[in-house]
């Protein structure tokens, strides 16, 4: 199944035979260091920039109802974001992934995103629609 939005993601995660943990890295668009005039112009028009990790959280699919609830929860942190990258971590033998496993995977996601490696993750906008980054 092609996942095109947050609802698809939740449905697919809930259908998996092993317990899932969804990993979220919220990012915000920023100007790169020492931007060129063209980069600055594009950024001011809502294009380009770099996505910088700002907030991470892991959730079981059953802890989530819809994208509006996730956005509302993120607002409570006071941290602004533009795109959220999502990964998943599977449990084994009926056991959910541990908090330590989720934390370690989130750290790997953040490092991967800082290096510009976004292909392995689902990217969603604030409305919960999948977006192509590239």
């Amino acid at each position: 199944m092609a996942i095109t939005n947050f609802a698809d993601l939740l449905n697919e995660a809930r259908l998996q035979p092993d317990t899932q943990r969804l990993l979220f890295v919220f990012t915000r668009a920023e100007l790169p260091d020492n931007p060129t005039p063209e980069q600055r112009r594009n950024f001011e028009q809502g294009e380009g920039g770099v996505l910088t990790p700002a907030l991470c959280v892991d959730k079981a699919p059953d802890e989530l109802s819809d994208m509006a609830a996730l956005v509302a929860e993120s607002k409570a942190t006071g941290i602004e974001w533009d795109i959220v990258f999502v990964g998943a971590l599977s449990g084994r033998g009926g056991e959910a992934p541990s908090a330590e496993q989720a934390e370690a995977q989130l750290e790997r996601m953040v490092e991967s995103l800082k290096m510009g490696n976004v292909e392995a993750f689902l990217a969603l906008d604030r409305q919960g629609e999948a977006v192509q980054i590239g």
Side-chain angles (χ1 to χ4, degrees):
M1 167 186 195
I3 296 175
T4 61
N5 58 45
F6 189 75
D8 290 348
L9 170 71
L10 285 182
N11 289 335
E12 191 63 28
R14 290 174 178 148
L15 290 173
Q16 298 305 305
D18 289 318
T19 306
Q20 300 291 300
R21 201 83 189 151
L22 297 176
L23 310 171
F24 299 93
V25 177
F26 297 84
T27 63
R28 71 175 144 249
E30 298 178 343
L31 270 171
D33 293 336
N34 305 310
T36 66
E38 182 181 357
Q39 287 173 318
R40 185 176 299 281
R41 234 184 350 270
N42 289 342
F43 185 78
E44 289 168 356
Q45 294 174 359
E47 298 176 4
V50 295
L51 292 170
T52 304
L55 177 67
C56 302
V57 69
D58 64 286
K59 296 274 189 186
D62 293 340
E63 294 177 286
L64 299 161
S65 57
D66 58 22
M67 189 65 182
L70 184 65
V71 169
E73 187 176 329
S74 73
K75 279 185 182 178
T77 68
I79 297 173
E80 291 296 317
W81 60 274
D82 299 296
I83 299 290
V84 61
F85 289 92
V86 186
L89 187 60
S90 270
R92 294 183 194 222
E95 294 292 319
S98 70
E100 294 79 19
Q101 289 171 317
E103 182 67 29
Q105 189 61 37
L106 278 168
E107 288 175 19
R108 284 192 283 279
M109 280 181 70
V110 167
E111 289 308 311
S112 187
L113 291 169
K114 284 180 179 178
M115 299 294 291
N117 300 322
V118 298
E119 304 82 26
F121 310 111
L122 175 65
L124 300 170
D125 63 17
R126 293 181 67 89
Q127 290 73 45
E129 296 299 319
V131 294
Q132 291 287 81
I133 306 292

